[in-house]
Amino acid sequence: MIIQTKSDIAPSEITPKEVFENRREFIQKAGFGLLATAISLPLHAATLRSGAENSDKSLGIANTKSAATSSAFNLHQKISGYSKTTYGTGEKLTPYDDVTTYNNYYEFGTSKSEPAINAKLFKPHPWTISIEGEVKKNKTISIEDIYKLAPLEERIYRMRCVEGWSMVIPWVGLPLAQLIKWAEPNANAKYIEFISMADSQQMTGVNLPVLDWPYVEGLRMDEAMNPLTILAVGLYGEQLPNQNGAPIRLVVPWKYGFKGAKAIVKIRFTEKMPLTTWMKAGPNEYGFYANVNPQVDHPRWTQSSEKRIGAGLFAGRIKTQMFNGYAEQVGQMYAGLDLRKNF
Ligand SMILES: Nc1nc2c(c(=O)[nH]1)N[C@H]1C(S)=C(S)[C@@H](COP(=O)(O)O)O[C@H]1N2
Ligand SMILES: [Mo]
């Protein structure tokens, strides 16, 4: 795996160490709750032009930057050696800027624009995922070794958020099935649980009680093994931006976007259905399956249509498709299941 670095980081993006450290202190002093919210505006302004020290040799990223710039944030690290695939939607891709500035990532704030700003200082390397639960034996795997598990592929998928908007994103990743094979679950494993990082130092939102941290998601084993289910490590041919879940996140294209846990640090195989974060937050509104279904509305809004992000001011809403358009590949897994009850 060879990853190239663009060495065109503008001087304006280079951060004096003090900015980084002052912010740290600021966040620590700010502590809990409303205070943190109240100060969030000046904080964001301060972080807009700042960067983190995550220059990374471990992923084979060519270190082309001078010493003076080595603490700058490494944006736009190309992933080379991934293959194009036939997984496409035939639709216009959502522009990179929309994919990377309109995000849901509550660990970094609850508005769409906050994650791109607040996640700038997040360090996605070094990184390991620990594998636990119903497995032959517990083990951990580094992000470098995950890159080597299978050839990386581009998958162009629709992503439909439960809130009623959607995008078309060219992910780079590998089938989750490949990691599961390596993890060696035992015969008791019926479900798989994904646990995101919850680092209150790096993730300002984790200090607020908006969700029960860490963010937890889950799949049934057959869903996890489905060829459409991937672990994404990149998008648009580049390593995942922090706000999109660097260094590794789940993508399950026929389910609502919230199933796609970001910044995964732990994977647990279980016998019982995991209790996921959004089920805990609103059991009447968010189910375990969360299959995209235009016939089953959210209690507070319709799911029959969606707004395509980046399609322009005057683009109308488009029709939501059953299983987000992937019924042919996944529909049979739910034969005989009452999709109204198992929403
Ligand atoms: N850890 C974590 N993962 C998360 C979320 C989150 O808040 N925290 N939001 C989810 C939701 S609601 C959606 S729609 C997608 C958004 O992914 P994107 O920002 O890359 O488009 O991430 C999902 N994964
Ligand atoms: Mo979402």
Side-chain angles (χ1 to χ4, degrees), residues 98-100 102-109 112 115 159-163 165 167 169 171 195-197 203 211 213-217 235 240 243-245 249-250 256-264 278:
D98 290 308
V99 176
T100 58
Y102 188 94
N103 300 101
N104 272 335
Y105 201 168
Y106 282 14
E107 286 87 336
F108 291 106
K112 297 289 181 283
M159 186 180 76
R160 170 63 155 80
C161 175
V162 74
E163 296 163 344
W165 53 267
M167 298 190 185
I169 304 176
W171 302 105
I195 296 130
S196 295
M197 176 173 268
M203 302 166 134
L211 288 174
W213 311 110
Y215 194 94
V216 170
E217 258 307 333
L235 56 82
L240 276 185
Q243 60 269 33
N244 294 93
R249 59 91 59 85
L250 183 68
Y256 291 120
F258 69 83
K259 297 299 287 182
K262 295 177 171 181
I264 295 167
W278 281 106

Side-chain angles (χ1 to χ4, degrees), residues 119-134:
K120 279 190 186 243
L121 295 170
F122 181 69
K123 288 172 123 183
H125 307 123
W127 198 270
T128 56
I129 296 182
S130 57
I131 313 278
E132 303 177 0
E134 299 293 347

Side-chain angles (χ1 to χ4, degrees), residues 134-151:
E134 299 293 347
V135 283
K136 220 167 165 183
K137 69 178 203 317
N138 292 354
K139 40 187 178 177
T140 63
I141 186 165
S142 68
I143 189 73
E144 292 81 3
D145 286 340
I146 292 170
Y147 269 68
K148 290 180 209 147
L149 279 179

Side-chain angles (χ1 to χ4, degrees), residues 220-263:
R220 224 168 55 184
M221 276 303 272
D222 59 336
E223 298 176 318
M225 295 295 294
N226 188 282
L228 285 184
T229 306
I230 60 165
L231 287 168
V233 296
L235 56 82
Y236 271 100
E238 299 174 354
Q239 282 185 48
L240 276 185
N242 288 341
Q243 60 269 33
N244 294 93
I248 187 161
R249 59 91 59 85
L250 183 68
V251 176
V252 195
W254 71 95
K255 293 179 180 284
Y256 291 120
F258 69 83
K259 297 299 287 182
K262 295 177 171 181

